[in-house]
Amino acid sequence: MDYKSLKSIIEGLLFLSGDEGLSIRQIAEITEQRNDLVSRALEDLKEEYVNQKRGLQVVQIAGNYRLATLPDHAPYFERLAYSPSRASLSQAALETLAIVAYRQPITRVEIEEIRGVKSERAIHTLNNKDLIHEVGRAEAVGRPILYGTTKTFLESFGLATLSELPEPSSTDHSDSLEEETQLLFSKLDSQQLTIDEIEQK
């Protein structure tokens, strides 16, 4: 492949890897290119983002490269997270919350394997609403973040402890996502709490 295509592929890989990122070695293995070429492509991509004043940046954290937003834009992201139009939980966010609630601690990759789709935005929304948070790191390659529910989650759903979550009838965890989501929705509905009320706490 040509150098321009390599940079384009790397950009896509960084986007898909989310907050876990990728190391030079991982990118080199995936693209079947030399480490030094991948390293140069990453640096060039990083400079292009800066020179073109893009809304994202390429950063290196704990040896892994990832795409990240710009710190200067943080006030706008906060407005998006807490805008009235985003006050209620979407189906994607509710599904993700059900997975975290019933199967915590759990990584983003495991959540996406259960849902079958990308879940980074849903996780970001739930984290901003203080319904889930980071509870540790998994003992796996890249040390991915483990997510769990918060005290705000318990308060919002009227639970003293997680043991009070409604029990799904199905014992097959691979097929119980829909039931878990419905149980969680019913629990929230019975509390007559909206996400607007949650945010006002």
Side-chain angles (χ1 to χ4, degrees):
M1 75 178 67
D2 60 58
Y3 189 66
K4 186 175 181 180
S5 296
L6 175 61
K7 286 195 296 182
S8 179
I9 291 169
I10 290 174
E11 184 177 30
L13 289 171
L14 293 180
F15 173 78
L16 289 174
S17 67
D19 55 10
E20 294 172 20
L22 293 168
S23 67
I24 290 176
R25 181 182 58 79
Q26 287 173 311
I27 296 172
E29 288 177 355
I30 293 168
T31 59
E32 299 181 329
Q33 301 295 321
R34 302 189 317 274
N35 284 10
D36 61 324
L37 184 61
V38 168
S39 179
R40 181 158 64 90
L42 279 165
E43 289 304 314
D44 284 351
L45 192 61
K46 186 175 182 178
E47 288 181 14
E48 286 176 12
Y49 271 85
V50 173
N51 294 336
Q52 295 173 14
K53 300 185 185 302
R54 303 276 291 276
L56 297 173
Q57 60 179 332
V58 178
V59 297
Q60 185 181 15
I61 300 175
N64 282 6
Y65 287 85
R66 53 175 285 194
L67 291 178
T69 54
L70 302 177
D72 291 347
H73 296 172
Y76 301 98
F77 304 145
E78 289 175 7
R79 290 179 197 172
L80 172 65
Y82 296 107
S83 64
S85 63
R86 297 177 64 83
S88 61
L89 286 179
S90 65
Q91 180 66 24
L94 192 58
E95 283 183 2
T96 302
L97 183 57
I99 292 169
V100 175
Y102 281 96
R103 311 182 194 194
Q104 61 188 300
I106 190 168
T107 66
R108 177 177 61 83
V109 171
E110 290 171 330
I111 292 169
E112 291 172 350
E113 286 176 351
I114 294 169
R115 291 192 64 228
V117 293
K118 297 291 288 182
S119 301
E120 188 169 5
R121 179 176 292 183
I123 290 171
H124 182 71
T125 297
L126 295 171
N127 192 60
N128 280 339
K129 294 182 184 297
D130 194 33
L131 294 172
I132 66 171
H133 66 154
E134 180 180 337
V135 296
R137 296 273 178 168
E139 295 294 335
V141 177
R143 302 273 293 164
I145 295 171
L146 287 167
Y147 293 98
T149 51
T150 63
K151 182 181 178 182
T152 299
F153 167 81
L154 293 175
E155 292 173 349
S156 303
F157 286 81
L159 303 170
T161 66
L162 290 173
S163 63
E164 293 184 2
L165 278 170
E167 281 290 331
S169 59
S170 173
T171 57
D172 185 352
H173 282 273
S174 64
D175 296 328
S176 61
L177 174 57
E178 184 176 349
E179 183 181 4
E180 289 171 355
T181 303
Q182 186 57 46
L183 286 170
L184 203 61
F185 178 80
S186 299
K187 185 67 176 176
L188 180 61
D189 191 50
S190 69
Q191 289 301 115
Q192 297 183 333
L193 279 175
T194 66
I195 299 304
D196 283 330
E197 291 171 318
I198 291 170
E199 290 174 349
Q200 290 169 7
K201 291 189 173 184

